[in-house]
Amino acid sequence: MQQRLRLGLIGAGGIATSAHLPGYQAFGDQVEFAAVADVNGERAQQVAMQFGFARVYNDYVTMLKAEQLDVVSICTPNKFHAAVAIAALGAGVHVLCEKPPARTAAEAEAMAEAARANNRILMYMFNNRFRPESQAASRFVESGMIGPVYAARARWLRRRGIPGWGVFTSKELQGGGPLIDLGVHMIDLALHLMGYPEPDLVVGSTYNHLGTKLGPAPWGPWDWQNFEIEDMALGFVRLKNGASIIIETSFMEHMEPMEEMTLMLSGAEGGLNVFPLKVFKDMNDTMVNINSAWLPVANGHHALIANFIAAIRGEAPPAVTPEEGVKLQRILDAIYHSAETGEAVKF
Ligand SMILES: NC(=O)c1ccc[n+]([C@@H]2O[C@H](COP(=O)([O-])OP(=O)(O)OC[C@H]3O[C@@H](n4cnc5c(N)ncnc54)[C@H](O)[C@@H]3O)[C@@H](O)[C@H]2O)c1
């Protein structure tokens, strides 16, 4: 039997307990729940009790020194992703870090460099790549069914979906608003399905007309008086291969439905909507729409954790690379920079 991987958790909040830890539990015979670190010691203790971690720390540096860990999941606010990942990689630990990779491209580059220097796996939790619709879309694109993809329209919009918990309104802790929180998933998925081409030119706009005012709060009251982020971001990305991505993302805007998450690909031989999965083609002089009759049920977070473990075991290539994280983060930086300066960013 293979030796169990000693797991450390850093940041024991919502996504750690709802997605990461249940994901590792499915590999009970391969993963040992060694230690958990959270600045909120009480929270760390609770999570340790619930999931059976052997030891608890309120400081991840001490944990990395004291425990001989093989893997960590980083589930802290975005501000800490880079420093924590670099420390863990430096301690010879494989890292699964929550999205976004970091707050800026410079931070993501430093993380990628630490992964290379220490020869350790660094993956990001882009769970949407592992949704059954995305997996099927990937197979359709790879088969050539829709031809070369020349345009992607990516949307993740919410009418009033600013979380009232956590630190979502803090620019310092999060790095931004819906673009870095939601848009990051959709831009990653679009780039992934398009073969992760290099960006060429980026134009962006951001707004905060609703977030800075008191209003209906179905996700709990948010700190509208200290609202440092955008509530909507729009971006146009032209890629070096000539293809384009349009991104629209919001925490708040007056719209229907309450939430919309879509990704539409246009290819020379067909079109494809990922959510819900649908393919559009001309066949025998007829325009046809193809629906899926059945898709497997799969949890994207758990499937990505399965890949992370397989990658550490050398049984599969890592599904997400540090270099993809850097490329993605450069696009986010460019959208924010363009929004701030009013200028396009040419790479
Ligand atoms: N992939 C997804 O579907 C998904 C969904 C939600 C959140 N996330 C990401 O997960 C991360 C955490 O989000 P969340 O919703 O779980 O937040 P959360 O506020 O529920 O949890 C964050 C935890 O980190 C702890 N923490 C803060 N600073 C720390 C530090 N320096 N060292 C150790 N612990 C520290 C906090 O005490 C808290 O327990 C964010 O990066 C977010 O973008 C991803």
Side-chain angles (χ1 to χ4, degrees):
M1 198 181 116
Q2 286 175 313
Q3 213 170 359
R4 292 206 295 168
L5 298 169
R6 285 174 54 75
L7 168 71
L9 171 68
I10 304 175
I15 200 63
T17 52
S18 65
H20 287 242
L21 299 181
Y24 289 111
Q25 274 178 329
F27 291 90
D29 57 337
Q30 292 198 47
V31 177
E32 180 188 341
F33 283 46
V36 49
D38 197 300
V39 285
N40 178 341
E42 208 176 305
R43 175 77 188 163
Q45 195 69 51
Q46 267 171 15
V47 170
M49 296 264 286
Q50 189 186 344
F51 287 90
F53 279 99
R55 273 169 300 281
V56 169
Y57 297 83
N58 56 14
D59 164 23
Y60 69 88
V61 177
T62 311
M63 178 178 84
L64 290 171
K65 272 199 196 125
E67 304 282 338
Q68 296 276 303
L69 300 174
D70 299 301
V71 297
V72 292
S73 260
I74 301 177
C75 300
T76 63
N78 304 344
K79 177 180 178 176
F80 308 106
H81 289 186
V84 177
I86 292 166
L89 292 162
V93 179
H94 300 289
V95 170
L96 175 56
C97 179
E98 257 306 339
K99 52 49 65 171
R103 290 176 305 177
T104 62
E107 288 182 349
E109 270 170 34
M111 294 162 85
E113 180 48 38
R116 279 192 294 272
N118 295 287
N119 195 22
R120 285 293 174 269
I121 291 172
L122 167 61
M123 277 179 59
Y124 298 113
M125 181 51 94
F126 286 121
N127 49 292
N128 286 290
R129 291 195 195 186
F130 280 88
R131 287 173 61 165
E133 298 90 334
S134 311
Q135 295 274 302
S138 174
R139 290 192 293 274
F140 286 147
V141 172
E142 270 173 32
S143 74
M145 187 182 186
I146 65 166
V149 177
Y150 57 86
R153 257 72 60 83
R155 283 184 148 187
W156 195 339
L157 310 173
R158 291 180 185 157
R159 181 163 181 166
R160 290 275 169 169
I162 171 80
W165 62 91
V167 294
F168 286 91
T169 57
S170 164
K171 175 93 177 156
E172 163 71 9
L173 288 167
Q174 287 294 95
L179 178 64
I180 204 163
D181 190 57
L182 306 176
V184 67
H185 273 299
M186 303 316 280
I187 301 174
D188 171 71
L189 186 56
L191 287 167
H192 171 65
L193 293 172
M194 297 165 98
Y196 248 94
E198 292 289 334
D200 177 35
L201 179 108
V202 170
V203 181
S205 303
T206 56
Y207 303 93
N208 64 2
H209 291 291
L210 277 67
T212 49
K213 291 187 203 84
L214 187 60
W219 294 30
W222 74 93
D223 189 359
W224 58 273
Q225 282 153 316
N226 298 296
F227 193 85
E228 301 163 355
I229 52 156
E230 80 279 7
D231 58 26
M232 174 195 266
L234 306 175
F236 174 83
V237 183
R238 194 175 65 214
L239 300 156
K240 284 222 163 43
N241 67 2
S244 303
I245 300 174
I246 293 176
I247 175 77
E248 300 171 43
T249 181
S250 60
F251 276 156
M252 287 184 237
E253 66 175 299
H254 299 296
M255 60 170 265
E256 197 178 51
M258 289 295 281
E259 181 154 13
E260 184 178 332
M261 186 217 223
T262 53
L263 176 57
M264 176 180 163
L265 302 182
S266 297
E269 305 293 332
L272 189 156
N273 286 357
V274 184
F275 307 115
L277 188 69
K278 202 170 230 191
V279 177
F280 312 97
K281 278 187 78 72
D282 292 345
M283 287 169 79
N284 302 323
D285 288 330
T286 308
M287 291 184 276
V288 298
N289 299 346
I290 304 166
N291 298 315
S292 63
W294 176 84
L295 281 170
V297 177
N299 177 305
H301 295 92
H302 297 189
L304 190 141
I305 285 171
N307 170 265
F308 178 55
I309 291 172
I312 291 166
R313 299 282 196 209
E315 295 161 1
V320 183
T321 68
E323 290 70 29
E324 289 172 339
V326 173
K327 221 181 268 184
L328 177 61
Q329 205 90 43
R330 282 195 185 127
I331 292 175
L332 301 183
D333 278 13
I335 294 175
Y336 282 129
H337 186 77
S338 171
E340 219 174 283
T341 60
E343 305 282 333
V345 175
K346 179 85 177 147
F347 284 84

